[in-house]
Amino acid sequence: MASFKERRRSLSISSSITYFCKGSIYIAVGLAVILTSGRVDSKTEAAVLSSLSYSNLEYDTAMNWDYSVDLNEDFRVYWTIVNQDITFEIQVRTLGYVGFGFSKDGNQIGADMAVGWVDAGHTFFQDRYVDELGSAEPLVDPSQDYSLMKGYENSTHTVLRFRRKLNTCDNQHDIAITNNTMRVMFMYHDEDPSRGSSTPSALPNPLESWRPYRSVLLLQKPLTVLPRYEPSARILELRNQDVELPYGDDSQFWCTMFKLDKLDRKYHIIKYEPIFDSSWSYHYLQHITLYECQGNNIQLEEMSRGGGQLCMGAHSLQLGCNAIVASWTRGSEGFVFPAEAGYPLESKHNKYYLMETHYNNLNAEFEPYQSHRMTDSSGLKIVFTQDLRPHDAGVLSVGMDPNWRHIIPPGQERVISQGHCMEDCTGSAFSQEGINIFAVMMRTHQIGREVKLRQIRQNEELVPIAHDSNIDPNYQDFRRLSHPVRSMPGDRLVAECIYDSSSRKAITLGGLTMKEESCTVLTLYYPRQKSLTTCHSLPSLPTVLHSLGIEQLAMTSNPVVIASPPELAGMTLETRLLSYDWEHQFDKFQEATLRGSFKPICSGAHNEHLPISEHLIGYNKNISKTYREPRRCKPKRLFVTETIPQLELPVLRDLETNHLSEASVRSSRSSFIETLALSGSEASSCRLCATWLSIYITSLMYLAIVWLAR
């Protein structure tokens, strides 16, 4: 009679063999079905995969979000960045499908979208794109580069959390997330697709689900929220008083003087934001800029007692108000200073502040609704504190001076203009330690497409301080740099702007109005200095004449006419500008303006010119070492099915305020199952077969080891 241990060992071996055989049969049958069927439809594939346990994918998905934005009243987006991965969470007030993604220009054509929905406890999620025909229904991307992390819905909202690479290297259907102004596309509907749908036109009424795009800076340094425990913070509202708004698309500048003589000590501005007087104000407001005025002359006092006046910019008043304190542009929500700096307020030194407001209605559809003359009392809300930061902040303007010599030819896709801040000016004004630039605002008007702030030290071009190759004229905000950039005395700063004038039939000149153009980069920096607040340049008159093929002007004539060459003699400069053959002579014009001389314009807080720049003539530098953008993409492609090993990324504490609604959750987390089930491509089927085969072989090896060990 066998002993008890022998019987137990026999039973264990028998049980192992039984489990081994059953497991092998189940796996073999599943593998055989897939291999014999080749491709499986999404419903069958989902059913097969849903039977597997992915308990190892259930991990703490709480996140501590660095950024958030409300795209509209129903659609909130959170995101955070870890290395080259960006994680989004969208919370949408709907129980139907939702979509989120990007477009190069705000149009649907070429949009890169992530689309998902929750149905009967399952989350469905797909990487999609809009084809070149602009179809309302985004198509499924053959390369699934978005990775679903979490999905559920409650009684009012659908929530999806997903991750992707900043640059997926899918140049065919994906859009890289960069420092550029990103056009965020979003869509949502109150219905889900039918169960298991993955075929084209599966989304109910996709044309109705699209919403207007929003421009967002996704990669700037996270916003520093003002600490709630700062009891010394005070608020100052600076408002215009019933300014009559212009008709049509005319530009109007309004200047209002404020006297701040009750500040008993030095303060730091730590935040400012716009104040909109009414819903229609936003249609007209383009810029609001607050200037610090130097001195205590009678003109400043008299203007502070009035309600403001028409002006052509603050500089037109010749009041010594040339130091920018705060600047708001259309699309911005204001600015919060970093913990290391604040803008100084001190009545002992400066009592008067001039607020310049630029009104211009660019929305042609809004004008007919005017039944009477409208007025506006918008302005700025300033938050300041007596708890001083380590450094005083200042603003330095770099770019092209607004003048007719800044010429942008018509009918061109790429026109380059450059505004130089000469090394002579920075060398004269900056301290030996230099300045630390921590935020920039890049400004053009309507046809600007790209802006770069270049930094040249001796003959070497350094990494650009800021660069946006996809700017939006309706969203030009201060952007926080990832870390302060030091500019040393003797550095040259170059604001380089690229315009697309292909839609225009006539030339565009530089100026202040929206019909004219601008090329300006405002830099926020510390420590503050007052010697240099404006560092601009302007093409010299010889450069302008040479670029237009003019050799000499007859200066004694009125109006001034061209003296030579003979074929242009007697023609006015205006006539030459209008009759120039821009189509065939543009390259010569562009080369002449970039290689020609320019006049530096360097001035300080009192609007006085630096003595060193009075007779200075500038030229483009001969750069021996240029900066080249590094290549970001690697040859290896990443698919969603390859992302399971990446789940060890840091998981941070969730915020209680993350969710729009706190209603009970109706479905739990999902995994990558639905993503795989909805891909519907040959590549997906092949990867699925390979996955089953690897599971089968691994299972056989594991059971064999267990059996031998016993």
Side-chain angles (χ1 to χ4, degrees), residues 531-577:
S531 299
L532 186 63
T533 57
T534 299
C535 200
H536 293 176
S537 71
L538 200 60
S540 65
L541 184 58
T543 295
V544 174
L545 298 179
H546 176 62
S547 67
L548 298 173
I550 300 172
E551 297 175 358
Q552 188 175 0
L553 293 176
M555 302 301 296
T556 57
S557 62
N558 188 15
V560 176
V561 296
I562 299 171
S564 62
E567 60 269 21
L568 302 179
M571 185 183 296
T572 65
L573 189 58
E574 180 180 4
T575 303
R576 178 57 175 164
L577 284 170

Side-chain angles (χ1 to χ4, degrees), residues 575-594:
T575 303
R576 178 57 175 164
L577 284 170
L578 296 175
S579 62
Y580 191 84
D581 185 5
W582 297 111
E583 183 178 355
H584 298 98
Q585 300 296 322
F586 169 72
D587 290 340
K588 292 183 179 180
F589 167 85
Q590 183 73 95
E591 183 179 6
T593 54
L594 293 179

Side-chain angles (χ1 to χ4, degrees), residues 134-403:
S135 304
E137 166 84 3
L139 306 178
V140 177
D141 193 334
S143 176
Q144 292 287 304
D145 295 301
Y146 287 77
S147 170
L148 180 66
M149 300 172 65
K150 177 180 180 181
Y152 63 87
E153 65 181 14
N154 53 33
S155 60
T156 58
H157 287 72
T158 295
V159 178
L160 296 177
R161 183 181 296 178
F162 49 92
R163 184 172 63 233
R164 59 162 279 181
K165 293 290 183 183
L166 294 176
N167 192 342
T168 67
C169 297
D170 177 7
N171 298 323
Q172 188 172 4
H173 298 310
D174 287 356
I175 293 177
I177 298 174
T178 65
N179 285 311
N180 293 339
T181 302
M182 302 296 297
R183 286 9 176 232
V184 173
M185 308 292 288
F186 63 110
M187 59 191 305
Y188 56 96
H189 197 268
D190 56 5
E191 296 180 20
D192 286 333
S194 57
R195 290 290 300 274
S197 293
S198 63
T199 57
S201 302
L203 301 181
N205 301 316
L207 189 60
E208 300 175 3
S209 68
W210 288 96
R211 302 300 192 270
Y213 79 91
R214 282 282 304 273
S215 288
V216 180
L217 299 173
L218 292 173
L219 299 190
Q220 67 172 326
K221 187 177 181 180
L223 178 66
T224 304
V225 179
L226 288 179
R228 297 180 181 178
Y229 55 81
E230 196 165 341
S232 64
R234 298 168 59 182
I235 294 177
L236 174 68
E237 290 192 357
L238 305 176
R239 288 175 173 263
N240 292 310
Q241 298 178 17
D242 298 324
V243 179
E244 193 171 278
L245 297 175
Y247 268 131
D249 59 352
D250 293 335
S251 285
Q252 175 178 297
F253 291 85
W254 189 264
C255 293
T256 305
M257 186 71 71
F258 299 93
K259 184 179 181 180
L260 306 180
D261 57 349
K262 296 181 180 180
L263 301 178
D264 56 349
R265 63 174 69 191
K266 180 180 179 180
Y267 293 87
H268 267 167
I269 296 176
I270 53 178
K271 178 183 178 181
Y272 62 84
E273 61 188 36
I275 303 172
F276 300 123
D277 179 48
S278 61
S279 58
W280 62 72
S281 298
Y282 187 78
H283 291 279
Y284 286 86
L285 288 167
Q286 296 297 327
H287 303 141
I288 303 177
T289 304
L290 184 66
Y291 293 89
E292 176 188 277
C293 301
Q294 313 301 315
N296 296 292
N297 62 59
I298 189 64
Q299 289 179 286
L300 297 175
E301 178 64 26
E302 290 178 352
M303 190 172 175
S304 69
R305 296 175 182 176
Q309 65 186 60
L310 288 170
C311 60
M312 273 306 294
H315 295 164
S316 67
L317 300 177
Q318 298 296 318
L319 293 175
C321 306
N322 196 43
I324 295 177
V325 178
S327 186
W328 170 89
T329 57
R330 188 176 180 86
S332 170
E333 296 180 356
F335 185 77
V336 177
F337 284 80
E340 62 267 23
Y343 194 94
L345 284 179
E346 194 170 7
S347 293
K348 184 190 300 185
H349 296 146
N350 304 100
K351 295 181 181 179
Y352 299 97
Y353 293 83
L354 181 68
M355 187 170 72
E356 170 196 296
T357 307
H358 181 187
Y359 295 101
N360 194 188
N361 178 26
L362 298 178
N363 187 355
E365 297 178 357
F366 184 73
E367 183 68 25
Y369 295 101
Q370 289 191 11
S371 58
H372 58 280
R373 296 292 272 179
M374 296 186 296
T375 60
D376 175 66
S377 299
S378 298
L380 291 175
K381 178 188 291 185
I382 307 294
V383 181
F384 61 101
T385 178
Q386 66 182 20
D387 296 331
L388 302 181
R389 306 288 176 84
H391 301 285
D392 288 347
V395 179
L396 173 64
S397 177
V398 179
M400 294 277 285
D401 213 55
N403 189 283

Side-chain angles (χ1 to χ4, degrees), residues 10-46:
S10 177
L11 288 172
S12 298
I13 295 174
S14 300
S15 299
S16 298
I17 295 173
T18 302
Y19 294 146
F20 177 86
C21 294
K22 286 184 177 181
S24 300
I25 292 171
Y26 292 152
I27 295 172
V29 169
L31 181 62
V33 169
I34 295 171
L35 293 175
T36 54
S37 61
R39 288 189 53 147
V40 294
D41 65 358
S42 61
K43 184 178 292 186
T44 303
E45 189 172 309

